[in-house]
Amino acid sequence: MLRGPKGTDDILPPESRVWRSLLRLWEDWSERFGYDLTLTPLFEFTEVFARGVGESTDVVQKQMYTFSDKKGRSLTLRPEGTASIVRAYIQAGSPGELKVSYSGAMFRYEQPQAGRRRQFYQVGVEYLGADSAASDAEVIELGYRFLTEARVPGLVVQLNSLGDAQCRPAYLETLKAWLAERQDQLCADSQAAMELNPMRVLDCKVCRDVVADAPVPADFLCDACRGHYAQVRSYLRARNVPFTETPRLVRGLDYYTRTAFEYVATSLDAAQNAVGGGGRYDGLAQVLGGPQTPGVGLALGMDRILLARDSEADEVALDAFVVAQPVARERGLALVSDLRVARVRCDATSGDRSFKAQMKVAQRSFAKYVVMVDESNVVNIRLLSGGQDDIQVDFQEVAAWLIAHQ
Ligand code: HAM
């Protein structure tokens, strides 16, 4: 038997129903916040990620699906969306303020486990050309509203500021010196990260105790960054978005400046409990060869959201399933057609089957109602979950009745 590659998933019904409803919810919330859909390629020239995400990150060093095409050019399956979107923005002539949303598969060569996949699915937004703290707060609020309505249990918004090109160098020097004094207590990975990417050490699960008192970025912020951070917090309070200041929060990608945040589902295993994250990246456009352009964005991991929800897979997939006495089969199928045109989600069996056999299929269909058609002018409608008497509705009125009872 041929199997899908390690770390990939097939999302089949009924699980896929929950995916569909969550993707719709995402479309709804991102549109409500004014983000237009954007589609970019699933692969880019490797340089986009090598430069954008950062040479020293785990993503670039260990996790990219990189290959040569027939002309020997180095291409990479996208490990994330932000670098591609900023590349597309620059290619389009850096068109001022732009708010975009995206969703799709991302690829990282990871050690697969629950919530850590080699192909995984993100939804996200990028707000380009905006430097005010209000845009940070808007992006953070969008993720919070979506995750709350998606019923992610134990949701916490963690917030931090990582400083910028002004204040970060001094912080990094101090941190490096601090870490150098404790080098022999650090794990091999942290020792390797110390020079190139010392902030990653703060995030190391193994070295947690050693770095408990390490200097943190928030203590080194310049006045401008400190002011920006204070404004983000005050805008979040005004928007009623609860958050936890998390001075040790750093992110796995290099492009962040100032605001960094994560959405954590405390119900999940600590290693994979970030259901999303993001932040500000005011230097990224320049790194990719474009004009200086501020930006802020987020990405949420759908696979982890689904895990955290522990959702029941029995979401209603149809409003109605139509079953017909064999003599009224054509009427039944005509009704199905009319209902679909009237925007009712409905289905029926396709082959000729007995009434009883059709009822069996209806029962397994995850429909809300079963509509029973015979030669008379009245149909019987039954709530499939039971507990109610059948309701008689005029044949002409079925669509209106189902819409009113969706
Ligand atoms: P990220 O933190 O690398 O950020 O990924 C965002 C989310 O994607 C994570 O919190 C997690 O839920 C999910 N995720 C990441 N890797 C995997 C994996 N291997 N398996 C399952 N889920 C995963 C970014 O990607 C940034 N582009 C976010 C951003 C947008 N920053 C600014 N704009």
Side-chain angles (χ1 to χ4, degrees), residues 59 63 79-83 102 106-110 113-122 124-126 139 251-253 255-256 261-263 272-281 295-305:
V59 169
Q63 298 175 345
E80 60 105 46
T82 312
Y102 54 94
M106 308 288 160
F107 307 86
R108 294 184 194 174
Y109 194 88
E110 304 232 34
Q113 47 192 294
R116 194 173 290 280
R117 315 302 294 153
R118 290 184 173 168
Q119 174 170 329
F120 58 100
Y121 202 99
Q122 281 187 348
V125 294
E126 308 298 342
V139 166
R251 305 263 303 128
L253 315 170
Y255 48 63
Y256 292 107
F261 56 90
E262 277 187 354
Y263 304 94
Q272 277 85 237
N273 68 2
V275 291
R280 175 161 284 288
Y281 45 83
V296 58
L298 66 76
L300 309 173
M302 286 290 290
D303 309 76
R304 290 191 192 173
I305 293 171

Side-chain angles (χ1 to χ4, degrees), residues 66-368:
T66 297
F67 57 97
S68 297
D69 71 1
K70 290 191 193 303
K71 290 252 167 77
R73 290 169 290 223
S74 180
L75 301 172
T76 293
L77 296 183
R78 63 180 185 190
E80 60 105 46
T82 312
S84 304
I85 294 221
V86 173
R87 192 271 307 144
Y89 175 88
I90 297 166
Q91 194 171 328
S94 300
E97 244 189 53
L98 186 70
K99 295 172 69 169
V100 298
S101 88
Y102 54 94
S103 73
M106 308 288 160
F107 307 86
R108 294 184 194 174
Y109 194 88
E110 304 232 34
Q111 207 38 55
Q113 47 192 294
R116 194 173 290 280
R117 315 302 294 153
R118 290 184 173 168
Q119 174 170 329
F120 58 100
Y121 202 99
Q122 281 187 348
V123 299
V125 294
E126 308 298 342
Y127 193 160
L128 293 160
D131 61 4
S132 83
S135 47
D136 306 42
E138 174 183 287
V139 166
I140 296 170
E141 182 191 359
L142 168 57
Y144 174 74
R145 298 274 172 243
F146 166 75
L147 292 168
T148 303
E149 194 173 344
R151 301 200 311 273
V152 170
L155 182 66
V156 175
V157 181
Q158 297 186 338
L159 183 69
N160 197 12
S161 174
L162 304 177
D164 64 5
Q166 284 295 311
C167 49
R168 182 143 0 131
Y171 166 65
L172 291 182
E173 282 316 309
T174 310
L175 179 61
K176 272 186 202 169
W178 192 94
L179 291 172
E181 281 169 24
R182 293 153 184 87
Q183 186 164 1
D184 46 354
Q185 299 168 48
L186 299 173
C187 73
D189 280 350
S190 289
Q191 292 200 16
M194 233 175 71
E195 264 308 306
L196 273 179
N197 210 346
M199 277 203 292
R200 292 301 304 159
V201 180
L202 296 186
D203 204 28
C204 175
K205 307 275 184 280
V206 183
C207 302
R208 190 181 314 196
D209 290 343
V210 185
V211 297
D213 304 319
V216 291
D219 295 337
F220 288 76
L221 298 182
C222 58
D223 287 348
C225 286
R226 195 171 311 117
H228 187 92
Y229 190 29
Q231 273 189 321
V232 172
R233 285 173 293 178
S234 115
Y235 281 128
L236 285 173
R237 285 189 199 104
R239 288 164 181 260
N240 282 320
V241 177
F243 60 89
T244 306
E245 280 184 70
T246 312
R248 219 159 284 280
L249 172 72
V250 291
R251 305 263 303 128
L253 315 170
D254 265 0
Y255 48 63
Y256 292 107
T257 52
R258 296 190 167 172
T259 312
F261 56 90
E262 277 187 354
Y263 304 94
V264 169
T266 47
S267 56
L268 285 179
D269 246 24
Q272 277 85 237
N273 68 2
V275 291
R280 175 161 284 288
Y281 45 83
D282 294 343
L284 178 56
Q286 268 178 317
V287 167
L288 293 177
Q292 201 278 326
T293 310
V296 58
L298 66 76
L300 309 173
M302 286 290 290
D303 309 76
R304 290 191 192 173
I305 293 171
L306 268 288
L307 271 184
R309 283 176 89 236
D310 191 21
S311 62
E312 60 307 331
D314 63 355
E315 306 224 342
V316 168
L318 291 170
D319 301 310
F321 199 93
V322 175
V323 298
Q325 294 292 352
V327 284
R329 176 145 177 81
E330 249 183 58
R331 271 186 105 203
L333 292 180
L335 178 63
V336 168
S337 167
D338 289 348
L339 290 176
R340 286 173 174 165
V341 171
R343 295 184 174 276
V344 174
R345 298 173 300 170
C346 79
D347 209 356
T349 60
S350 61
D352 286 326
R353 301 204 197 173
S354 70
F355 188 82
K356 209 168 137 195
Q358 292 176 53
M359 278 302 273
K360 268 202 182 138
V361 180
Q363 248 123 33
R364 290 197 310 258
S365 71
F366 290 92
K368 187 167 181 192

Side-chain angles (χ1 to χ4, degrees), residues 29-52:
W29 273 109
S30 55
E31 200 174 1
R32 232 186 284 175
F33 272 62
Y35 290 84
D36 268 317
L37 180 67
T38 284
L39 307 168
T40 60
L42 292 193
F43 56 90
E44 298 273 356
F45 288 122
T46 300
E47 222 185 319
V48 170
F49 304 116
R51 283 208 261 155

